[in-house]
Amino acid sequence: MAVFVDEPIWEWRGRRWCHLVADTTAELHDFAARLGLVRQWFQCKPGRPWHDHYDLPEEIRAQAIACGARPLTTREMGRRQAKRRRRARTPAGAGARVDKLVKR
């Protein structure tokens, strides 16, 4: 299972928030349930699986990391999500060749 959490830099309603993402939606929902997150908090855009995430308040971030989420910087999360977006938009097979040619 690969679950990631970025830095809590977004302020909203007097709290700081971060993003909880995973390699698959199923992994994300399973991990979120273990943290006690409500399924209605899940955010997605149809046809854009790289966007799937839960907003996580700063005070729960440490718990997520203790449960196995890998902490990422905001830049690392951005690169990870951009890579997922490129893979989703690239025809099958072509993405592997591109990844070998372009070092990120």
Side-chain angles (χ1 to χ4, degrees):
M1 177 183 262
V3 179
F4 305 90
V5 62
D6 64 0
E7 301 167 301
I9 63 169
W10 291 272
E11 290 189 35
W12 185 64
R13 295 188 176 188
R15 297 166 88 181
R16 287 188 179 269
W17 298 78
C18 55
H19 298 109
L20 182 70
V21 302
D23 286 339
T24 69
T25 303
E27 290 173 332
L28 181 58
H29 288 312
D30 179 56
F31 196 86
R34 290 192 300 160
L35 290 176
L37 303 181
V38 177
R39 183 75 173 253
Q40 289 88 343
W41 299 347
F42 174 65
Q43 296 184 38
C44 69
K45 291 187 178 178
R48 297 178 178 186
W50 59 87
H51 181 74
D52 294 354
H53 72 280
Y54 282 85
D55 288 334
L56 194 66
E58 179 178 31
E59 59 270 17
I60 298 177
R61 183 176 188 264
Q63 180 184 352
I65 293 169
C67 288
R70 179 176 162 211
L72 299 177
T73 65
T74 302
R75 284 184 184 265
E76 290 170 329
M77 181 69 85
R79 284 192 294 266
R80 181 191 178 282
Q81 297 304 94
K83 188 175 182 179
R84 289 188 72 208
R85 182 176 57 244
R86 280 193 307 274
R87 283 184 181 161
R89 291 182 172 172
T90 303
R97 291 191 305 272
V98 171
D99 285 344
K100 288 180 182 178
L101 298 174
V102 178
K103 289 191 177 188
R104 300 260 178 214

